[in-house]
Every structure is written in C-alpha cells, then in structure tokens.
Amino acid sequence: MLLDIIGYFFIVAFAVLGIIVMLWGGLAVIGTFAAVIGAILEDFGIVKKS
C-alpha cells in the first residue's frame, strides 16, 4: 500500500518536472529565435536600435 503511494508520488513528481522542463525549453527556444530575428532585422536596417 505504501509502495503504491510512493510510486504514484514519483510518477506525478516526474510528470510535473517534465512539463516544467518542456516549458523552460520552449521559452529558451522562442527567446533565441526572437533574438536572431531581431539581429537580422537590425542588420537590414528595418529595425533601429532605441
């Protein structure tokens, strides 16, 4: 009985951890992508640095 509870807890913990890691990874990718696009636009003079 106790092992079932511990196992269930670990499954939930790893699932939550996986979701957090995926979200962080997604944000990092989007941030990098936006930075690259911004740099390219600046090079072409479309966007001026403030």
Side-chain angles (χ1 to χ4, degrees), residues 6-23:
I6 292 169
Y8 183 73
F9 175 77
F10 272 106
I11 290 168
V12 171
F14 276 112
V16 170
L17 192 67
I19 291 166
I20 291 168
V21 168
M22 276 170 47
L23 285 174

Side-chain angles (χ1 to χ4, degrees), residues 16-50:
V16 170
L17 192 67
I19 291 166
I20 291 168
V21 168
M22 276 170 47
L23 285 174
W24 270 111
L27 286 173
V29 169
I30 292 166
T32 304
F33 190 66
V36 169
I37 297 279
I40 290 168
L41 291 178
E42 265 176 25
D43 286 344
F44 284 117
I46 297 166
V47 176
K48 295 280 185 252
K49 273 189 175 173
S50 55

